[in-house]
Amino acid sequence: MSDDERLALRFADGDEEALAEVYTRWSRLVFTLALRSLGDRAEAEDVAQKVFVGAWRGRAGFDPARSGLAAWLVGITRHCIADAHDARARRLRAEEALVGGAVLTALVSERDDETAAVAERLMIAEELDRLEPVPQRVMRLAFFDDLTHSQIADTLGLPLGTVKSHIRRSLVRLRTRLEVSDEPYRP
């Protein structure tokens, strides 16, 4: 029986010293996989911690006859990385929704008169229709379909930076066109 096999059996039996050896032996691999995928050191450290806590808590599900301990840890790592990506995407969607909502709220002034609010929404829709086709599609996906910048880039096959540029320029254009002047209307 090899050292790895003995270590795997000790780990599966709940030997805390085996856990320390497992961590020493494979924590760098787990961290490196997480860092390469996530690109963020703090998130990678969180994933590494979750992997080893999860492995220890779920050691009853580890079967040394089915796979080696390293392969099992890599499997757990892949799941934890996927969870981290999902959490990041949820955070980004929430942040973008807050920013998008704040921008649209700034564009459409709050009024008690429901008719005025409907008229303003129609003005915004009309201004969106004046945009070029690609920026118009980007804005509609961002604000009406509630897609993230990355999702828009994937949907339209555009680079992420291009999507962000279209949104930024379109918002500036919309704001400029929709700003209310204090001067009286003169035909």
Side-chain angles (χ1 to χ4, degrees), residues 3-34:
D3 285 342
D4 282 351
E5 291 171 330
R6 276 192 290 279
L7 178 60
L9 289 173
R10 288 178 38 226
F11 178 84
D13 288 339
D15 182 342
E16 290 182 13
E17 288 179 14
L19 171 61
E21 286 180 47
V22 166
Y23 182 83
T24 300
R25 190 175 293 182
W26 287 296
S27 62
R28 184 171 296 187
L29 170 67
V30 168
F31 174 77
T32 301
L33 291 172

Side-chain angles (χ1 to χ4, degrees), residues 5 17 21 26-27 50 74 77 86 99 102 105 116 124 133 135 156:
E5 291 171 330
E17 288 179 14
E21 286 180 47
W26 287 296
S27 62
K50 287 177 184 174
V74 168
T77 303
D86 289 344
V99 169
T105 299
I124 290 174
L156 299 179

Side-chain angles (χ1 to χ4, degrees), residues 13-79:
D13 288 339
D15 182 342
E16 290 182 13
E17 288 179 14
L19 171 61
E21 286 180 47
V22 166
Y23 182 83
T24 300
R25 190 175 293 182
W26 287 296
S27 62
R28 184 171 296 187
L29 170 67
V30 168
F31 174 77
T32 301
L33 291 172
L35 183 60
R36 285 186 181 163
S37 178
L38 297 167
D40 181 89
R41 188 171 195 78
E43 283 183 301
E45 289 170 353
D46 287 345
V47 164
Q49 180 181 5
K50 287 177 184 174
V51 167
F52 286 98
V53 168
W56 183 248
R57 287 183 178 160
R59 67 187 178 276
F62 170 64
D63 182 2
R66 285 185 46 209
S67 71
L69 188 54
W72 187 66
L73 290 170
V74 168
I76 294 171
T77 303
R78 289 181 51 221
H79 288 287

